[in-house]
Amino acid sequence: MTTLVKFSIGLVMLLLGVSTTAQKLNGSYSGTLDVQGMQMELIVNITPNEDGYDATLDVPAQGASGIELDSVVLQDETVTIKSAKLQMTYIGTLTENGIKGTYKQMGQEYPLTFNKTVKTKPGNTALPSTDAELDKLAAKETGDYKYSVEDYFTTPEASSFKLSPNGKYIAYMKRRKSGERDLYLKETETQKETLLKKQEEDLIRGFSWANNDRILYLQDKGGDENYHVYGVDVTGENNKELTPFEGVRVNIIESLKEDEDHVIVQMNKDNLQQEEPYRLNINTGEVTKLYTVQAGDPPVAGYNFDRKGNLRAINRIVDGVKTELLYKIDGEFKQVKLTEFGDTFGISTFNPNTENPDIAYVISNLDGDKIEIQLYDLKKDKKIKTVFSNDTFDVSGMSLSRKRNYEIDYFSYTGEKAVIKPVSDTYKKVYTRLQKEFGDKQFFTVGRTDDESKYMVAVTSDKIVGEYYLYDVKKDNVTLLYKLLPQLKAEDMASMKPITFKSRDGLTIHGYITLPNNYKKGQRVPLIVNPHGGPQGIRDNWGFNPEAQLFASRGYATLHVNFRVSGGYGKEFLKAGFGQIGRKAMDDVEDGVDYVIEQGYVDKDRVAIYGGSHGGYAVLRGMTKTPDKYACGVDYVGVSNLNTFMNAIPPYWEKYRELLYKIWYNPNIPEEKAIMDEISPALHVEKIKKPLFVVQGANDPRVNIDEADQIVESLREKGVEVPYMVKYDEGHGFGKEENRLDLYKAMMGFFAEHLKVEKTTPVKG
């Protein structure tokens, strides 16, 4: 697949634009690139313009569509397509039905024929349920409920608050009545509000302050996750795309406080399978490459820069499953650590509060089971001391004060709840003051001015969505900025309770149970078990969960299980899940269900399973592994066939392929291939006995729409009616408000039909 993705995506950029007066190329062409037995469909779409042609390319298997292309020349029936950037050439002969030719890259040649086709939407468009069918499903939820789906999932009126470095402005996303979110500024002194950037077709996926005068924001196209960086001044001027590279994924990895005109980004501009670092001028868009991954070198997973923007360390993947840390010593990158997957050693931040430039704070579990924070001399490859650790949970969070010569302000970690451990005298005073203000609620300082005169504070709990405050240190006052979803009253919300139980093979498993707010001891309520995505290194946390609150308001309990391979509980727990996805990891979910049934909370005959991504796979696996355990299931962007999933990963995951095999299964090992077949739900649909609702984003680059189509088509062939929601403007999860509302309304109708809450006593709140 490595070669396949490399070549097929290269061709994506190769089949670029058209420069010819002939009209023969007008239309769409589909071709299948075959490399070492692996296949990938490519569709090039060519339309005439005044000078010749425009062209775009779709790669259905990767959820990519509408990628703008470069140049195509037609001369005497010969089509020549080139991409200098990717060093690719395609030469073919125009035929009655398409183009027949040869694709060349880096000395390799492959036959490739394009046939004239009609461009269609991704996936099998005959499968999705109609809007009328989904509306009918949503209408099955009836009852007099205090809160609607909109109350839980309408985009907040304002969100994502960020304080400017000088404290003059607060930037945030503000909702229009129609649901779109625009980027706004508000002056902290005058409260004057200004629209900075209006959302158009594509969502603003995130933003940050580059300096006091300029904001950077990210956008992709239709959820394809190829993020580009844009910049806009606080005056609204100089709004421009800074990384206009089609089919390229860009992320900001360092904001340079010492250089206000630049940030460091990583992007796969010169190699679609490898992100490389660039210094980006935030005003002009000029980029300077800082490091090139040479052909044949191990792929790089990450880079470490110091505060001045100097590249100091490189993290590489060796032999597919090991991690190598290279540190720059005397001008040369040298290996400091080589660790097995599951072992952790990484630079958290360099320590400017020392005369020795080689001393850094690192996170490591090489001395034990749990991740701890250490002070480390990288040049000597020697631990100086452990500065923070916990016996039960991994720790990794810390905050330094730039103003106070990088003094440590606090450490943090996630246990049953989030934990903050103040360190510096200055932050202890701030923390004590805020603790007096907010009591037992969770609060976090999520931003501060460079002079530390003002702090942005976020407050939350299992019953509070989120509240933002501004703490003025000099005035010693705390001012409410905004309450997210203020219509949801804390007294009406349900409590999330941490639980611990033993798995069938003796592991300690942590999780959370959320019961309806009016639950009375002895009641046995319907349950929705919600396995998390990932799955590796991810975990569910205590806090406000809008899904669990919606479910609770309708009388359902929600169970979250941090099954083996979840993060935060040490490396042995993580490693216990390798090669156990769909097997022992699924056993843990089932054991959690049995535990809450044994506690007397749950009606064993009314248990549903719902999840997204890996959680969606767990839904399908659960309904084929233990089909009598669940009354129904909802699969949201979930994997259905491990074989096709492995063959359609995005190009920027290629360097993680061996790790993916390590966590899941390796199809090249016959014994593991047999396991993949055994636990791929799409190959065992005859075992699904209970109702299933499937939900998918058509442009999903991680879990291709074919994963959903397979399961739906197979069940439909058996005569099973499967509601199937597809959104053609979404990717891996729904980002647009109207789509989220459609999803949860249909889901609640589905649960109302199949979990059958007693309608004589509708649940309030």
Side-chain angles (χ1 to χ4, degrees):
M1 177 63 185
T2 301
T3 305
L4 171 63
V5 173
K6 179 178 179 180
F7 281 84
S8 63
I9 295 302
L11 192 59
V12 167
M13 300 306 298
L14 153 72
L15 296 177
L16 310 177
V18 179
S19 176
T20 175
T21 58
Q23 297 296 310
K24 297 177 182 179
L25 287 178
N26 186 25
S28 295
Y29 298 81
S30 173
T32 300
L33 189 68
D34 191 323
V35 180
Q36 298 177 352
M38 308 293 283
Q39 297 182 331
M40 179 75 73
E41 182 189 18
L42 307 171
I43 301 173
V44 61
N45 311 289
I46 302 171
T47 55
N49 63 27
E50 293 180 357
D51 301 320
Y53 292 94
D54 292 321
T56 64
L57 185 123
D58 307 333
V59 188
Q62 296 176 349
S65 61
I67 301 171
E68 294 183 8
L69 306 178
D70 281 347
S71 67
V72 175
V73 175
L74 175 63
Q75 185 174 7
D76 298 329
E77 306 300 309
T78 297
V79 180
T80 303
I81 311 172
K82 293 184 178 181
S83 171
K85 180 172 65 176
L86 296 176
Q87 300 178 0
M88 299 177 181
T89 301
Y90 176 79
I91 299 176
T93 301
L94 195 62
T95 67
E96 183 178 350
N97 297 317
I99 311 168
K100 185 175 182 179
T102 301
Y103 165 66
K104 302 177 182 180
Q105 183 188 37
M106 299 171 64
Q108 301 293 320
E109 296 187 4
Y110 301 89
L112 181 61
T113 298
F114 285 95
N115 295 312
K116 201 75 177 284
T117 186
V118 177
K119 183 178 179 181
T120 62
K121 294 178 179 178
N124 184 344
T125 56
L127 292 177
S129 302
T130 65
D131 289 344
E133 289 169 334
L134 293 170
D135 289 344
K136 185 177 179 180
L137 178 62
K140 292 181 182 294
E141 183 186 63
T142 59
D144 180 20
Y145 299 110
K146 184 171 184 178
Y147 297 111
S148 66
V149 168
E150 284 84 354
D151 288 325
Y152 294 98
F153 291 100
T154 293
T155 304
E157 291 298 321
S159 59
S160 303
F161 298 90
K162 293 182 180 174
L163 189 62
S164 66
N166 58 10
K168 183 177 179 180
Y169 297 102
I170 295 170
Y172 52 96
M173 303 299 297
K174 184 177 180 182
R175 178 183 182 273
R176 292 182 229 157
K177 290 183 179 179
S178 52
E180 294 86 351
R181 296 196 312 158
D182 304 317
L183 180 57
Y184 271 79
L185 287 182
K186 180 178 284 189
E187 295 183 23
T188 54
E189 292 297 327
T190 66
Q191 298 297 295
K192 179 184 177 182
E193 185 179 65
T194 305
L195 171 63
L196 190 62
K197 175 66 178 72
K198 186 177 181 180
Q199 177 190 318
E200 296 173 357
E201 181 178 353
D202 294 309
L203 297 173
I204 297 173
R205 297 287 181 173
F207 70 91
S208 61
W209 286 94
N211 53 46
N212 286 316
D213 302 313
R214 192 156 173 79
I215 286 178
L216 303 181
Y217 61 95
L218 298 177
Q219 285 184 308
D220 64 355
K221 293 185 181 299
D224 67 4
E225 299 187 9
N226 285 326
Y227 305 113
H228 288 193
V229 179
Y230 298 74
V232 59
D233 293 345
V234 294
T235 60
E237 299 173 331
N238 197 20
N239 181 22
K240 65 184 297 183
E241 180 176 2
L242 299 170
T243 57
F245 311 114
E246 290 298 330
V248 172
R249 177 183 170 95
V250 188
N251 282 311
I252 300 171
I253 57 175
E254 291 287 343
S255 58
L256 301 175
K257 297 293 289 186
E258 312 294 329
D259 180 359
E260 292 191 347
D261 291 327
H262 295 88
V263 295
I264 295 173
V265 301
Q266 66 178 23
M267 53 184 169
N268 56 345
K269 185 170 87 66
D270 293 339
N271 181 346
L272 287 171
Q273 296 177 18
Q274 176 63 67
E275 297 93 343
E276 296 171 313
Y278 296 77
R279 189 182 302 271
L280 170 67
N281 187 302
I282 64 171
N283 301 300
T284 67
E286 179 185 0
V287 294
T288 304
K289 196 171 188 180
L290 302 177
Y291 183 80
T292 297
V293 180
Q294 299 296 330
D297 283 355
V300 175
Y303 305 90
N304 295 103
F305 292 83
D306 61 23
R307 61 195 176 97
K308 294 183 179 180
N310 299 310
L311 179 60
R312 301 281 301 281
I314 298 169
N315 302 274
R316 304 199 302 190
I317 299 172
V318 179
D319 298 329
V321 294
K322 295 179 182 178
T323 301
E324 177 186 46
L325 176 66
L326 301 179
Y327 179 63
K328 199 168 191 177
I329 300 174
D330 299 328
E332 182 181 349
F333 285 103
K334 298 180 180 180
Q335 185 189 90
V336 173
K337 293 292 181 186
L338 181 65
T339 56
E340 298 290 334
F341 182 56
D343 292 343
T344 296
F345 185 90
I347 298 169
S348 175
T349 180
F350 290 99
N351 181 21
N353 189 9
T354 174
E355 293 182 359
N356 185 344
D358 300 308
I359 292 179
Y361 293 105
V362 303
I363 57 171
S364 173
N365 62 9
L366 300 184
D367 295 339
D369 181 57
K370 305 298 186 294
I371 294 174
E372 62 181 24
I373 301 176
Q374 302 172 351
L375 196 62
Y376 205 90
D377 189 317
L378 293 165
K379 186 174 183 178
K380 295 180 179 179
D381 189 14
K382 181 180 179 181
K383 171 183 168 181
I384 299 172
K385 64 178 179 179
T386 296
V387 295
F388 188 65
S389 64
N390 184 273
D391 292 336
T392 307
F393 304 101
D394 291 332
V395 303
S396 61
M398 66 184 303
S399 177
L400 306 179
S401 168
R402 179 169 173 261
K403 177 188 176 185
R404 287 175 274 112
N405 196 28
Y406 299 92
E407 180 181 20
I408 298 174
D409 271 345
Y410 64 83
F411 297 110
S412 63
Y413 68 95
T414 302
E416 289 187 340
K417 299 179 181 180
V419 179
I420 304 293
K421 293 290 186 181
V423 176
S424 69
D425 289 340
T426 299
Y427 194 77
K428 283 179 180 177
K429 291 178 183 178
V430 170
Y431 189 83
T432 299
R433 172 66 180 88
L434 296 175
Q435 198 170 40
K436 179 181 177 181
E437 186 79 24
F438 301 119
D440 294 334
K441 299 174 183 176
Q442 281 193 156
F443 62 87
F444 310 92
T445 50
V446 294
R448 61 184 168 188
T449 55
D450 287 345
D451 64 3
E452 299 184 7
S453 63
K454 295 183 178 67
Y455 285 80
M456 177 88 72
V457 185
V459 178
T460 186
S461 75
D462 57 342
K463 297 186 176 185
I464 299 174
V465 184
E467 300 171 353
Y468 283 85
Y469 294 82
L470 191 64
Y471 172 45
D472 189 310
V473 177
K474 294 178 182 178
K475 297 179 181 178
D476 192 32
N477 63 8
V478 178
T479 305
L480 175 66
L481 295 174
Y482 204 84
K483 290 187 177 184
L484 305 181
L485 304 184
Q487 68 272 20
L488 299 178
K489 306 303 180 185
E491 59 269 22
D492 295 327
M493 299 297 107
S495 297
M496 178 180 276
K497 175 185 176 182
I499 59 171
T500 303
F501 60 91
K502 290 288 186 181
S503 69
R504 65 190 69 178
D505 59 350
L507 286 184
T508 298
I509 308 293
H510 297 265
Y512 302 91
I513 183 76
T514 303
L515 297 167
N517 195 33
N518 62 354
Y519 175 82
K520 293 181 175 56
K521 187 175 181 179
Q523 280 185 295
R524 291 184 179 271
V525 298
L527 173 72
I528 300 169
V529 57
N530 182 204
H532 64 68
Q536 74 284 354
I538 307 297
R539 58 160 288 180
D540 285 314
N541 299 317
W542 184 88
F544 189 91
N545 184 303
E547 291 181 335
Q549 292 295 344
L550 172 63
F551 299 159
S553 74
R554 270 53 176 173
Y556 310 126
T558 302
L559 173 65
H560 294 101
V561 177
N562 285 324
F563 44 84
R564 69 191 71 198
V565 94
S566 298
Y569 300 99
K571 63 184 175 186
E572 292 306 316
F573 189 79
L574 177 75
K575 291 180 178 181
F578 293 174
Q580 293 298 332
I581 308 303
R583 299 196 293 164
K584 289 185 178 181
M586 198 70 216
D587 291 347
D588 295 342
V589 175
E590 296 162 6
D591 292 346
V593 173
D594 292 342
Y595 173 79
V596 295
I597 290 173
E598 291 166 4
Q599 300 305 302
Y601 301 136
V602 171
D603 181 347
K604 65 180 181 60
D605 295 321
R606 293 192 288 170
V607 177
I609 182 167
Y610 154 64
S613 196
H614 163 267
Y617 165 75
V619 170
L620 300 175
R621 175 59 178 149
M623 295 183 74
T624 51
K625 180 175 183 286
T626 52
D628 294 321
K629 198 172 199 71
Y630 305 106
C632 61
V634 178
D635 159 30
Y636 182 27
V637 297
V639 174
S640 70
N641 185 332
L642 298 190
N643 299 287
T644 52
F645 168 66
M646 295 289 187
N647 287 339
I649 65 173
Y652 45 84
W653 278 13
E654 267 306 317
K655 58 181 170 289
Y656 302 117
R657 179 172 288 280
E658 294 299 325
L659 295 179
L660 192 66
Y661 290 166
K662 177 89 170 178
I663 297 163
W664 291 69
Y665 305 95
N666 189 337
N668 301 311
I669 299 174
E671 295 82 3
E672 295 191 19
K673 174 63 166 64
I675 294 172
M676 290 171 63
D677 292 342
E678 176 190 345
I679 66 173
S680 289
L683 305 182
H684 302 282
V685 293
E686 74 281 355
K687 296 180 180 179
I688 296 178
K689 298 180 179 180
K690 304 297 174 60
L692 175 67
F693 177 28
V694 178
V695 183
Q696 181 68 38
N699 301 317
D700 192 335
R702 307 187 205 178
V703 179
N704 186 268
I705 190 173
D706 180 54
E707 295 297 310
D709 280 358
Q710 286 182 69
I711 204 78
V712 172
E713 191 165 15
S714 297
L715 285 172
R716 295 261 178 88
E717 287 175 356
K718 286 180 56 186
V720 178
E721 178 55 39
V722 184
Y724 183 24
M725 175 182 287
V726 175
K727 296 297 184 180
Y728 289 96
D729 56 350
E730 295 283 11
H732 195 61
F734 293 176
K736 295 185 177 180
E737 179 186 284
E738 63 270 24
N739 294 333
R740 289 199 308 274
L741 296 179
D742 286 348
L743 165 62
Y744 289 108
K745 287 176 181 179
M747 188 190 303
M748 298 318 296
F750 182 78
F751 286 146
E753 180 178 12
H754 300 295
L755 291 185
K756 302 188 187 304
V757 177
E758 293 180 9
K759 296 179 181 179
T760 55
T761 55
V763 180
K764 297 281 188 178

